[in-house]
Amino acid sequence: MAFREQHTLSRFVLRLTLFLLTVKQVVASHTSCRNNSFWPCSCECYENTTPLFIVDCSSQSLNEVPPFVNVSLSAIIELNLANNNLSRLTAISESPFAGFINLTTLDLSNSSLSMNGSKGSIINATTFAGLDSLEELDVSNNHNMPFTNLTDSNLFKNLPSLKILRMYGTTHVSYANESYPNKLWYNVPTLEEIWIDGLPFGVFGEEFKRMPNLKKIRISGDLIDPPRLAHKYCNIAHISNEMLTNLEHISSLSIIHCNVRSISDLAFDGVKNLSVLDLTCNLELGFVNASRGFGRLNSGLKMLALNNIDRQYYVIINESITKSLQNTSLTHLYIESNNIFRFHDNAFINLPRSLKKLYAGNNRFDMDYYLMHLKDLTNLELLDLSLNKLTLYDNNTNHDLIDMCLSDLNEIPKKFKSRISTHKNTNAAFIISGCINQVQVKIPTVLPPKLETLDVHSSNLGLALYAYTAKNNSLKTVYASNALLNSLPNPLPESISLTHLDLSSNLCSDVHRTVFADLRSLQFLNLSGNHLSFAMTNYADLFENNIQLRHLDISRNELNSLNYNLLKNQINLTFLDLSLNKLKSFTIYADNLTKLKVLNLSQNCFLTWTEFKPILHVIGNNVENRNETVVDLRNNDFLCSCNADVVAFMKSVAEDVRSQRYLLQFTCNENEVNTQTDFESFKNNFDNNCSTLTSRIILSVMMTVIILLSIIVAMLVYKFQWKIKYWFYVRNGKRRMRNGYTVIQNSNDWSYKYHAYLAYSYEGQEFIADTVLPKLSELGYKVFSQEDIIPGLNLCSVIGNAIHVSRCVLFVVSSGCEDSNEWTIAVHMANEEAIQRRKHITLVLLYDYNFVDGIPDADKLIHQDYFIQFPLHGSDHEVTAFWIDFEYKLNSIDNSAIETSMTCLARNNERS
């Protein structure tokens, strides 16, 4: 019994010792990733629980595998030795990778490897001994390491787990009389994927019929380094019937940038399991030549890439091209960068009904009625027409297309990686509007019934989503940024259920107030890079029905203010970007923004912090998003004064930041605040620089007298402000040059330069332009209107002097007068001018006001019977009688002569 207990204790001690040694090794390995054990290479830990490392030794001017001090080589699972000069790779040991027993990935690309070089760099089968776990090997762009049928077929015999072999950029086309290393690949039965060069007369031998694991061949002329040498490593002018006949197990075949010019009729007959075919960037192939070889394509073909294969200036996809694909099960078709001008009317109907995604970006699409046949693509879910250069009105323009000689269907489409797609199936029609040189063209187009994503970004296809049919549709996502949409005059139709809409960078300024009213499912809306200041200020109901909206970007819109109720219904909003505007205040209804996680107000014109109290209060009390919401106020001109309001605000913000209610980012006096620590430091400096409360009270007492005096003076100035302005800008004869205008006084007391000065509001502009001004011109009156004021000049000066040289002032009263700055100035300047002349000089024309009591500043405008109401809905007889009465009243104010020798405000040749 004692012996058994002693034996048990010994085993326990042994296991404990082994455990401690293992822990020590793990800790040492993790520590080594942070010290010089991998110098000059960089390292990252693959997992936190095991000592496995990914080591990058690329571009370090190494000539051999570097020694890794205090590190077990078996802990390295990935090793990158690319872009070195490994001239001594096998100088010390014929098997330099013998200790890397767990290595799965080895990159030796562009590392000066050779099979016939000096003694220290000879590569043979022994070189890769010990790499039993290696799954991926890259020896590409080693130009002195050709692989042909003469290469040792046992070169990779020590790689029993190899699945991916990259060896392009190694075999010059001067080896044209030789062929592919078919036996070399055959001796690696685990191979699933090879990336190789393209020999002019190379044929894939019968060995491939006995390689069921090999599924992908990529002939990679697009990846040669440097690119100018591509034709020397990939030059297959003709794809013959014999070249591919043995590839019966291959499912993915890419022949990219290899100068392919023609394809035999039966070239793909032997590739019985082909599902992916990529012929990108064979610039001289053309659609017609390519389609001649498509007749025998495998019926199971799913993806076909024909990007950048036709360099004619105008390419038309005709019926015969699409017919050649009729027997396939195509789901993805890429025809980007081909100068495609249009589709033949019957092209769509001959495409496989299985097609789901069509990428046709970076072409020259004309808009024509062939777009009506889009409906024939009954299963299409995505249509990409982006980056198109419309040539309808500019056929002689030389458009530069984007070359797409880098192609990998596993990565395409790159620009859609982060986009959310949906899967609801329905149908609709829309209108494409193209704007070229301000010419508007509208072509009716029918959406495929299952189309979910439409992309026309960065294109000369302006897209107007209206004139929809009553049928259901599937459209969920529209990308129309930089698409010449300078206006959105019509509401988007109720029949669509968009969730994502990108209208950014269109310089759009004209927006209908109900344009988004029926998009009740909208979640993502990007309106950045437009000119929507008027809409955001005046349309409180612009987003009223978009309750599902989560992401709203209205940055870069020249916004000066926001309507208080603009975001009142956005209860699900999580992202709001208002950066790069001209906002000076942020007074909005914020009680509903409880889910907000990002509020970006950077690069605006804010001066004080106190106005952010409401929104910060909502965010601070939102427990759900605590420590997740970021408020970005950087790059604003905050005034970091020490007044009581700012100090109180700083105190409340400090408490919220300490309790991690939100993260605050802002700049103030060049001190950027990004984290809680930075904020605490800033707060301490702020407190130290500001005077104590006692000193402030003493200072306040000392300043009280000055403030009281200032208030009295200010009250006097305010009371007589218009008399002061009138005297300064009109009656002061010494100041005759102002803002580039010369003030011309009346030559005598009985003549003027204008019959009338015309004042009105913005809402009355149409009535003024269409009715009043033409009638006054018909009556022979010279009128100075608000349209004659050059923007940027001092309004008091211009309006005051214009009234001074006018016989009378005609006020046209309509809605919006109370908000018009020009109206207010004209009222007070006219009043002061009347006092100066000692008689009444105004006539009031009531346009859409029925009661005198509602007129702004009526006490200054109305005098006895000098007002007249326009018969808005009257008969022709009533209108005629109105103008007779109007002329009589206008002349009764003053009938002095009008001078014609010079204008009242003459532009001076030299700016003052």
Side-chain angles (χ1 to χ4, degrees):
M1 182 67 70
F3 173 78
R4 183 176 298 177
E5 291 178 353
Q6 183 179 4
H7 180 67
T8 303
L9 180 61
S10 299
R11 286 194 299 174
F12 173 77
V13 172
L14 179 61
R15 290 180 179 178
L16 179 61
T17 303
L18 291 175
F19 173 76
L20 292 175
L21 288 174
T22 303
V23 171
K24 180 179 179 181
Q25 182 183 7
V26 171
V27 173
S29 298
H30 280 270
T31 304
S32 66
C33 201
R34 297 190 293 270
N35 59 30
N36 293 328
S37 299
F38 289 95
W39 187 89
C41 309
S42 61
C43 156
E44 66 176 277
C45 297
Y46 179 67
E47 292 183 2
N48 293 326
T49 56
T50 56
L52 300 178
F53 305 112
I54 298 174
V55 182
D56 186 357
C57 299
S58 62
S59 305
Q60 296 296 328
S61 300
L62 300 175
N63 56 19
E64 60 184 4
V65 179
F68 299 125
V69 183
N70 299 325
V71 174
S72 174
L73 299 183
S74 62
I76 300 176
I77 60 171
E78 293 186 19
L79 178 60
N80 186 353
L81 291 169
N83 304 315
N84 285 295
N85 183 11
L86 302 179
S87 59
R88 292 177 51 82
L89 180 64
T90 58
I92 299 176
S93 171
E94 293 184 353
S95 303
F97 304 107
F100 296 84
I101 59 175
N102 290 313
L103 195 67
T104 60
T105 302
L106 177 60
D107 191 344
L108 296 172
S109 62
N110 193 29
S111 55
S112 302
L113 298 183
S114 173
M115 287 184 286
N116 301 304
S118 63
K119 183 178 179 181
S121 62
I122 294 178
I123 305 300
N124 53 39
T126 309
T127 304
F128 302 104
L131 296 176
D132 293 350
S133 300
L134 194 68
E135 297 181 357
E136 184 173 346
L137 174 64
D138 192 340
V139 293
S140 60
N141 286 314
N142 286 292
H143 302 309
N144 294 319
M145 193 177 178
F147 291 93
T148 69
N149 60 326
L150 301 180
T151 302
D152 181 6
S153 60
N154 293 317
L155 181 62
F156 300 128
K157 71 176 182 179
N158 290 316
L159 302 176
S161 302
L162 191 63
K163 296 180 179 179
I164 301 175
L165 176 60
R166 293 185 175 91
M167 48 196 298
Y168 55 85
T170 59
T171 311
H172 198 281
V173 295
S174 60
Y175 292 92
N177 293 328
E178 300 173 20
S179 185
Y180 293 119
N182 298 319
K183 292 182 179 179
L184 171 67
W185 295 322
Y186 179 70
N187 284 337
V188 188
T190 55
L191 270 182
E192 298 176 0
E193 182 176 327
I194 55 174
W195 299 38
I196 60 175
D197 295 318
L199 299 179
F201 310 112
V203 175
F204 295 98
E206 292 188 359
E207 291 86 354
F208 282 85
K209 290 186 176 181
R210 301 188 296 276
M211 298 172 63
N213 292 322
L214 187 63
K215 300 298 182 183
K216 179 175 181 178
I217 296 179
R218 193 185 199 278
I219 304 179
S220 310
D222 59 323
L223 300 178
I224 302 301
D225 186 21
R228 59 184 172 80
L229 300 179
H231 66 287
K232 294 185 177 181
Y233 290 89
C234 199
N235 194 349
I236 305 174
H238 177 68
I239 301 178
S240 65
N241 292 335
E242 296 79 17
M243 177 181 172
L244 311 174
T245 188
N246 295 312
L247 301 182
E248 60 182 44
H249 299 298
I250 298 299
S251 60
S252 176
L253 176 63
S254 301
I255 307 177
I256 305 170
H257 201 15
C258 288
N259 198 31
V260 177
R261 296 169 179 263
S262 59
I263 304 174
S264 293
D265 295 345
L266 304 177
F268 300 105
D269 191 45
V271 195
K272 304 181 183 302
N273 291 292
L274 191 64
S275 63
V276 177
L277 177 61
D278 189 349
L279 297 173
T280 292
C281 215
N282 291 292
L283 307 181
E284 304 300 325
L285 178 58
F287 282 100
V288 175
N289 290 338
S291 63
R292 288 171 183 163
F294 291 163
R296 302 299 292 270
L297 278 172
N298 172 41
S299 61
L301 186 71
K302 300 294 184 182
M303 304 177 71
L304 176 62
L306 300 174
N307 298 331
N308 216 343
I309 67 165
D310 209 324
R311 306 305 288 171
Q312 299 181 60
Y313 195 79
Y314 291 117
V315 175
I316 296 178
I317 304 298
N318 60 37
E319 185 177 355
S320 63
I321 294 172
T322 55
K323 268 188 175 181
S324 67
L325 302 173
Q326 241 180 358
N327 296 325
T328 68
S329 302
L330 208 61
T331 60
H332 293 63
L333 177 60
Y334 303 86
I335 51 174
E336 300 177 314
S337 303
N338 279 302
N339 290 325
I340 299 174
F341 183 62
R342 65 189 303 273
F343 284 84
H344 190 273
D345 288 347
N346 292 326
F348 289 130
I349 197 171
N350 286 296
L351 280 172
R353 296 283 76 82
S354 56
L355 190 64
K356 292 183 177 181
K357 296 184 179 182
L358 175 59
Y359 298 94
N362 197 37
N363 283 291
R364 304 180 188 274
F365 279 116
D366 187 6
M367 292 185 301
D368 208 341
Y369 287 92
Y370 71 90
L371 293 173
M372 290 288 292
H373 296 280
L374 273 172
K375 68 179 186 306
D376 295 328
L377 302 178
T378 53
N379 286 297
L380 195 68
E381 296 175 359
L382 181 148
L383 176 61
D384 184 351
L385 296 173
S386 61
L387 296 165
N388 272 289
K389 285 78 178 173
L390 186 68
T391 55
L392 186 61
Y393 293 96
D394 195 10
N395 293 338
N396 296 320
T397 301
N398 183 20
H399 299 283
D400 295 326
L401 296 180
I402 299 175
D403 287 338
M404 296 184 61
C405 291
L406 289 174
S407 179
D408 186 346
L409 293 188
N410 294 327
E411 297 177 2
I412 294 175
K414 294 180 177 61
K415 57 180 172 292
F416 286 94
K417 280 188 175 180
S418 61
R419 296 178 177 175
I420 298 175
S421 61
T422 55
H423 304 281
K424 184 179 178 181
N425 299 325
T426 53
N427 185 13
F430 65 102
I431 288 180
I432 285 184
S433 299
C435 306
I436 290 297
N437 299 327
Q438 298 182 346
V439 177
Q440 188 81 8
V441 181
K442 296 181 179 179
I443 301 296
T445 308
V446 180
L447 289 176
K450 296 182 180 180
L451 188 70
E452 297 175 358
T453 301
L454 177 64
D455 190 345
V456 293
H457 85 273
S458 302
S459 179
N460 288 349
L461 295 171
L463 183 70
L465 293 171
Y466 57 90
Y468 272 75
T469 63
K471 297 180 181 179
N472 293 329
N473 65 87
S474 303
L475 196 61
K476 296 294 182 183
T477 303
V478 173
Y479 300 104
S481 63
N482 193 23
L484 301 181
L485 292 175
N486 54 14
S487 66
L488 297 172
N490 297 317
L492 295 174
E494 186 178 0
S495 59
I496 63 176
S497 299
L498 284 180
T499 59
H500 282 56
L501 178 60
D502 186 351
L503 298 172
S504 60
S505 301
N506 279 296
L507 302 181
C508 179
S509 58
D510 181 16
V511 176
H512 196 283
R513 70 184 305 151
T514 61
V515 64
F516 307 117
D518 291 319
L519 302 184
R520 299 177 185 272
S521 301
L522 197 62
Q523 298 179 15
F524 178 102
L525 179 60
N526 189 346
L527 297 173
S528 64
N530 289 291
H531 296 299
L532 302 179
S533 179
F534 180 83
M536 299 297 169
T537 304
N538 295 279
Y539 299 159
D541 54 349
L542 186 64
F543 306 124
E544 184 177 23
N545 295 336
N546 309 126
I547 299 176
Q548 302 299 323
L549 199 62
R550 300 176 184 274
H551 181 117
L552 177 60
D553 188 345
I554 45 180
S555 60
R556 297 183 296 117
N557 266 282
E558 302 291 325
L559 302 180
N560 293 304
S561 61
L562 294 174
N563 190 286
Y564 179 76
N565 292 316
L566 183 67
L567 304 175
K568 190 172 183 178
N569 290 346
Q570 273 55 64
I571 58 177
N572 292 301
L573 198 65
T574 60
F575 179 96
L576 176 60
D577 192 345
L578 289 162
S579 62
L580 294 162
N581 283 298
K582 299 179 180 179
L583 295 172
K584 295 182 179 179
S585 63
F586 188 63
T587 305
I588 65 169
Y589 181 83
D591 291 350
N592 57 322
L593 301 178
T594 57
K595 295 184 179 180
L596 199 63
K597 292 187 177 181
V598 175
L599 174 59
N600 190 349
L601 292 166
S602 62
Q603 299 191 53
N604 278 281
C605 302
F606 297 116
L607 298 177
T608 61
W609 297 334
T610 52
E611 60 184 282
F612 297 104
K613 283 183 179 180
I615 183 66
L616 292 181
H617 177 75
V618 171
I619 295 174
N621 290 333
N622 182 18
V623 179
E624 178 184 352
N625 293 333
R626 180 166 292 182
N627 199 27
E628 294 181 5
T629 300
V630 177
V631 182
D632 191 346
L633 301 176
R634 291 175 293 182
N635 298 315
N636 284 287
D637 297 326
F638 287 119
L639 301 178
C640 301
S641 60
C642 292
N643 62 58
D645 289 339
V646 174
V647 171
F649 178 79
M650 285 293 298
K651 182 179 179 181
S652 64
V653 168
E655 292 175 353
D656 287 338
V657 173
R658 290 190 194 107
S659 61
Q660 298 185 346
R661 296 191 177 186
Y662 51 80
L663 301 177
L664 193 62
Q665 298 178 345
F666 64 90
T667 50
C668 180
N669 293 336
E670 301 180 356
N671 293 322
E672 187 168 354
V673 179
N674 287 323
T675 66
Q676 181 178 351
T677 304
D678 290 338
F679 186 87
E680 290 295 332
S681 301
F682 176 82
K683 179 67 166 55
N684 292 333
N685 291 333
F686 180 85
D687 292 339
N688 293 333
N689 293 332
C690 290
S691 59
T692 62
L693 180 60
T694 304
S695 62
R696 286 188 210 152
I697 294 175
I698 296 174
L699 182 62
S700 298
V701 173
M702 294 175 62
M703 296 295 294
T704 300
V705 176
I706 297 175
I707 294 174
L708 289 175
L709 291 175
S710 299
I711 292 174
I712 294 173
V713 172
M715 291 175 63
L716 292 174
V717 171
Y718 180 81
K719 181 177 181 181
F720 298 104
Q721 60 173 314
W722 290 106
K723 289 186 181 295
I724 295 172
K725 290 179 180 179
Y726 180 82
W727 178 260
F728 181 79
Y729 290 115
V730 181
R731 302 300 300 177
N732 184 5
K734 295 180 180 180
R735 292 175 58 88
R736 303 184 60 80
M737 298 286 294
R738 300 193 189 98
N739 297 318
Y741 282 89
T742 300
V743 180
I744 301 175
Q745 303 290 344
N746 291 346
S747 58
N748 54 64
D749 293 335
W750 303 280
S751 63
Y752 299 92
K753 308 300 180 286
Y754 290 87
H755 289 88
Y757 176 90
L758 184 58
Y760 49 91
S761 67
Y762 174 84
E763 284 75 3
Q765 281 183 333
E766 184 176 354
F767 173 67
I768 296 298
D770 296 342
T771 304
V772 177
L773 287 175
K775 188 62 180 180
L776 292 177
S777 176
E778 178 186 332
L779 296 174
Y781 290 135
K782 290 176 61 180
V783 179
F784 188 97
S785 71
Q786 293 172 186
E787 294 297 322
D788 297 321
I789 301 175
I790 298 177
L793 300 183
N794 187 293
L795 292 178
C796 290
S797 175
V798 176
I799 295 175
N801 279 284
I803 290 176
H804 183 62
V805 295
S806 299
R807 281 197 332 197
C808 69
V809 181
L810 173 60
F811 288 94
V812 178
V813 181
S814 64
S815 59
C817 293
E818 61 274 16
D819 298 325
S820 174
N821 191 28
E822 291 84 357
W823 173 279
T824 302
I825 294 174
V827 168
H828 290 282
M829 286 298 181
N831 186 54
E832 295 299 329
E833 183 68 29
I835 294 173
Q836 195 68 26
R837 297 186 193 180
R838 298 181 181 179
K839 65 176 184 178
H840 187 68
I841 68 169
T842 60
L843 175 62
V844 177
L845 191 160
L846 302 177
Y847 175 52
D848 59 2
Y849 267 67
N850 297 323
F851 304 98
V852 176
D853 294 340
I855 301 176
D857 297 304
D859 58 327
K860 295 182 177 63
L861 297 179
I862 306 303
H863 183 266
Q864 296 177 356
D865 294 327
Y866 286 100
F867 69 92
I868 185 170
Q869 184 167 354
F870 182 80
L872 188 59
H873 304 290
S875 63
D876 293 343
H877 176 74
E878 290 174 326
V879 173
T880 302
F882 164 83
W883 287 116
I884 295 174
D885 189 24
F886 169 85
E887 184 178 8
Y888 170 78
K889 287 184 181 293
L890 194 64
N891 291 333
S892 66
I893 295 176
D894 196 329
N895 58 1
S896 301
I898 301 297
E899 289 186 1
T900 60
S901 60
M902 59 194 310
T903 59
C904 71
L905 297 179
R907 169 73 72 179
N908 195 3
N909 292 330
E910 296 182 358
R911 303 289 291 179
S912 59

